[in-house]
Amino acid sequence: EADNGLYRSSTPVTVLAAATLRRKGKQRTARGLQAAQEADQDGADLDEASSDVTPRYILLPHGRFKLRWDLWMALLICYSVIIVPFRVGFANSPAVLSPSWWCDLAIDACFFVDIALSFRTAYFVEGVDLNDQRLIVDWRAIGKRYLRTWFVCDLAASIPFDAA
């Protein structure tokens, strides 16, 4: 059942296939459902099965790109947890325009890109039953939720305080 960007199902793959029912018509829905069911049976990545199912410019929370991006961000966070306190504690900031300075600038840019991507990442809402999940793909609902939850924390963490 589709309702303003909410899709109800017991598995994410079926959720994605059901999403086309209201938007693309029966022919496209049948094709998306078949691809989603094959991906579910084969254990394939959801990105390929759902490419014609999800709204444009919305990232799936368990899609291949999002998982890789989150791994990259985890590595950058580990780097920051080690390097930033060292630099702040010992007043050891890199010289402007040095390779280390450019590296720090690129890392800060990645954190800001992560904020932008978070405004476009779909999320699941648990239903009454444990097997009942809803995938929220409406960009307005995603943005409102992100602003209410992690936005302030992410923004504060992205500001390069050690650059001053």
Side-chain angles (χ1 to χ4, degrees):
E1 300 173 25
D3 181 37
N4 295 333
L6 275 60
Y7 301 106
R8 175 186 292 261
S9 176
S10 59
T11 65
V13 173
T14 311
V15 168
L16 296 171
T20 44
L21 180 62
R22 300 285 190 244
R23 271 189 262 127
K24 304 292 182 185
K26 293 180 183 177
Q27 183 180 19
R28 190 99 181 242
T29 301
R31 193 170 55 230
L33 182 58
Q34 181 181 5
Q37 288 171 342
E38 289 171 4
D40 197 20
Q41 290 170 354
D42 297 340
D45 187 38
L46 292 178
D47 286 344
E48 291 134 18
S50 62
S51 61
D52 65 338
V53 180
T54 56
R56 192 174 205 168
Y57 304 118
I58 297 294
L59 298 172
L60 297 174
H62 300 300
R64 182 181 298 162
F65 173 79
K66 182 64 174 152
L67 292 176
R68 288 181 180 171
W69 178 261
D70 287 344
L71 178 62
W72 173 246
M73 292 307 298
L75 292 173
L76 294 182
I77 289 169
C78 289
Y79 171 83
S80 296
V81 163
I82 294 168
I83 297 300
V84 171
F86 175 78
R87 287 189 179 155
V88 171
F90 294 107
N92 186 11
S93 295
V96 176
L97 301 179
S98 69
S100 183
W101 183 84
W102 284 109
C103 180
D104 288 349
L105 185 66
I107 290 170
D108 293 337
C110 285
F111 285 122
F112 283 107
V113 169
D114 187 56
I115 290 174
L117 292 177
S118 294
F119 277 106
R120 292 303 206 178
T121 302
Y123 63 95
F124 288 100
V125 174
E126 296 293 327
V128 178
D129 188 2
L130 290 176
N131 292 328
D132 184 27
Q133 294 181 336
R134 293 179 187 214
L135 179 65
I136 308 300
V137 296
D138 178 47
W139 65 271
R140 290 177 195 94
I142 294 169
K144 287 178 186 176
R145 179 177 184 253
Y146 182 56
L147 285 171
R148 284 192 321 263
T149 57
W150 285 100
F151 175 72
V152 173
C153 181
D154 287 348
L155 184 63
S158 297
I159 298 171
F161 291 110
D162 63 325

